[in-house]
Amino acid sequence: MPTPQEILDELRKVKYPGFTRDIVAFGMVKDVQVAHRGTTVLLTALSAKPEVMARIVEEVKAIVGAMPGAPRVDVEVEQARPRAAAQAAPAKSAVPGVQRIVAVASGKGGVGKSTVAVNLALAMRSLGWRIGLMDADVYGPSLAMMVGAGETVGLTPERRIVPLTRHGLRYVSMGLFINDQTPVIWRGPMVAKLESEFLFNVEWGELDCLVLDLPPGTGDAQLTITQRVALSGGIIVTTPQELALLDVRRGVQMFAQVGVAVLGVVENMSYYVCRRCGARHAIFSRGGGARLARELGVPFLGEVPLVSQLREGADQGRPLVAAAPNHPVAELFKSIARQVVVQLGDPASPS
Ligand SMILES: Nc1ncnc2c1ncn2[C@@H]1O[C@H](COP(=O)(O)OP(=O)(O)O)[C@@H](O)[C@H]1O
Ligand SMILES: [Mg+2]
């Protein structure tokens, strides 16, 4: 009898009708159970129309039924159940002129989420896309430093915010408008609400993709943003420690809850390259991120090593991909960007 993992792998052949992406990548497969009586595949309906769902169910039955040793296949479909808060939330809006929005999330701070966001944004730009970068991590103003933004933001006559341009990226942070006197109530979900409004008041112009550096964590504040903004996909940044990896599950769940496909997991600070001998040293056990991504059915985008140039560049407002585009780690970010861009080639979300 095939194992649940083998069945899950097989289910990747089922494309979401009208898309090149498969139902596993869309987060539609909730569970696969194998018992003597037969195999049960639990799907979540996301926003699919009934006729689309019926086609998917037929294909799942056919493909699993054709596996050697697969006895009987049951497919159960549950309606995606938004949380109570999600039901009350307003409909997701698109940002005019912005083709796609990708959110970069992490379970906690300090894993390199902003470092990945800025270098990924630059790498996507090097592939020819028009990219914007929004720092939604108001209380960790690292991004402003990383892109070397120090000046004030301009306003159009209609009082819309004009983003700064840095290294060819259009960049804005609500942090630029927050100072020491800003009231403490500007925290958590409240800030998240303001942030998503803020996003719509920026004169982005035409963008192929806006990269959103979410605040660290996968709680209500992050959920609020993902609910309000029409996202094309999410990226999860983690480090190889067990605890950080655990958070990846929460990240995947958060995006699944709002029906957003996870474009992949990036493992940062995966290993250390010795400056003298060039050998790679693992600091934590290797391969955890890739294994977990496989288990959760989301793409693994790559392992970024610990390199001092990543931090030094960030501190000087010269991110690595802009400062040293031929550095092996810059090439690595370009490979991650290619995988993201290929996935985003599709329309924003299933209808
Ligand atoms: N791969 C890396 N190699 C070296 N330093 C890194 C790497 N990734 C992040 N850093 C450094 O670690 C610190 C935290 O990274 P940051 O991107 O600000 O994390 P987060 O946004 O998750 O809080 C920063 O000083 C950054 O320059
Ligand atoms: Mg950050």
Side-chain angles (χ1 to χ4, degrees):
M1 232 190 289
T3 64
Q5 185 61 51
E6 285 162 349
I7 293 173
L8 191 68
D9 288 341
E10 197 67 11
L11 289 175
R12 286 178 197 283
K13 293 182 185 155
V14 181
K15 299 284 180 248
Y16 193 99
F19 288 79
T20 55
R21 301 258 305 281
D22 62 82
I23 59 170
V24 177
F26 265 122
M28 287 188 87
V29 181
K30 281 280 148 198
D31 199 15
V32 177
Q33 287 162 4
V34 178
H36 284 300
R37 292 170 276 114
T39 300
T40 308
V41 177
L42 180 62
L43 299 179
T44 181
L46 295 179
S47 56
K49 300 190 189 87
E51 62 271 23
V52 172
M53 220 41 230
R55 250 179 78 186
I56 294 173
V57 169
E58 280 317 303
E59 270 193 60
V60 167
K61 281 187 179 161
I63 222 155
V64 179
M67 289 178 77
R72 236 168 51 85
V73 191
D74 269 326
V75 181
E76 286 172 21
V77 179
E78 61 162 35
Q79 292 303 317
R81 245 171 308 142
R83 273 210 209 163
Q87 280 159 347
K92 293 181 182 191
S93 326
V95 181
V98 176
Q99 298 278 326
R100 310 164 182 84
I101 305 178
V102 169
V104 182
S106 68
K108 60 188 173 76
V111 301
K113 176 174 48 59
S114 300
T115 303
V116 170
V118 65
N119 283 290
L120 173 64
L122 286 164
M124 287 169 80
R125 164 156 165 90
S126 78
L127 299 177
W129 277 26
R130 296 161 299 180
I131 304 290
L133 180 61
M134 159 122 177
D135 184 3
D137 185 359
V138 172
Y139 297 101
S142 51
L143 212 60
M145 191 169 73
M146 279 183 207
V147 294
E151 58 202 86
T152 41
V153 172
L155 290 177
T156 67
E158 297 78 36
R159 302 196 62 74
R160 288 174 61 76
I161 298 153
V162 182
L164 305 171
T165 301
R166 282 291 175 277
H167 311 292
L169 298 178
R170 283 172 227 166
Y171 164 78
V172 91
S173 164
M174 204 169 80
L176 296 167
F177 297 84
I178 288 188
N179 57 33
D180 298 345
Q181 276 87 50
T182 308
V184 186
I185 55 149
W186 280 48
R187 284 183 191 267
M190 179 70 190
V191 167
K193 231 176 262 172
L194 290 168
E195 257 162 2
S196 36
E197 296 310 316
F198 178 83
L199 185 59
F200 295 99
N201 288 316
V202 177
E203 197 69 35
W204 291 107
E206 295 290 320
L207 289 184
D208 294 299
C209 187
L210 175 65
V211 177
L212 203 56
D213 184 12
L214 287 180
T218 51
D220 283 344
Q222 294 74 14
L223 195 64
T224 303
I225 299 179
T226 55
Q227 276 166 351
R228 292 193 158 220
V229 179
L231 295 178
S232 305
I235 291 171
I236 299 168
V237 180
T238 184
T239 53
Q241 294 98 316
E242 286 301 320
L243 272 177
L245 287 173
L246 251 169
D247 288 336
V248 174
R249 275 177 213 281
R250 297 202 189 100
V252 171
Q253 278 163 7
M254 174 180 77
F255 286 119
Q257 216 168 53
V258 288
V260 172
V262 174
L263 304 174
V265 174
V266 176
E267 192 182 277
N268 186 33
M269 313 193 201
S270 287
Y271 56 94
Y272 169 74
V273 183
C274 175
R275 273 203 173 180
R276 288 200 205 100
C277 66
R280 294 174 165 210
H281 300 289
I283 295 156
F284 299 98
S285 63
R286 292 286 303 274
R291 234 179 352 257
L292 184 60
R294 204 160 45 234
E295 183 194 319
L296 296 173
V298 297
F300 186 69
L301 298 174
E303 294 178 334
V304 179
L306 257 170
V307 286
S308 50
Q309 292 97 316
L310 266 176
R311 189 188 45 74
E312 288 157 12
D315 291 351
Q316 296 159 8
R318 288 164 49 78
L320 183 72
V321 171
N326 298 321
H327 189 284
V329 173
E331 293 295 347
L332 181 68
F333 275 108
K334 282 181 215 166
S335 119
I336 294 173
R338 275 192 292 273
Q339 297 173 64
V340 170
V341 163
V342 163
Q343 295 189 67
L344 288 174
D346 289 325
S349 60
S351 55

Coordinates of all heavy atoms in Angstrom, one line a residue, residues 113-114 137 140 142 213, ligand 2:
K113 N 14.6 37.6 8.2 CA 13.4 37.9 7.3 C 13.7 39.1 6.4 O 13.5 39.0 5.2 CB 12.2 38.0 8.1 CG 10.9 38.3 7.3 CD 9.7 38.3 8.2 CE 9.9 39.1 9.5 NZ 10.2 40.5 9.2
S114 N 14.1 40.2 7.0 CA 14.3 41.4 6.3 C 15.5 41.3 5.3 O 15.4 41.8 4.2 CB 14.5 42.6 7.2 OG 13.4 42.8 8.1
D137 N 7.3 45.9 9.2 CA 7.8 45.6 10.5 C 8.2 46.9 11.2 O 9.3 47.3 11.3 CB 9.1 44.7 10.4 CG 9.6 44.2 11.7 OD1 9.0 44.6 12.8 OD2 10.5 43.5 11.8
G140 N 10.8 47.1 14.1 CA 12.1 46.6 13.8 C 12.6 47.2 12.5 O 12.6 46.7 11.5
S142 N 14.8 47.7 10.6 CA 16.0 47.3 10.0 C 16.1 47.5 8.5 O 17.1 47.8 8.0 CB 16.3 45.8 10.3 OG 15.1 45.0 9.9
D213 N 7.5 42.9 3.7 CA 8.3 42.4 4.8 C 7.3 42.4 6.1 O 7.2 43.5 6.7 CB 9.5 43.2 5.1 CG 10.4 42.6 6.2 OD1 10.2 41.5 6.6 OD2 11.4 43.3 6.6
Ligands
MG2 MG 13.2 42.5 10.1

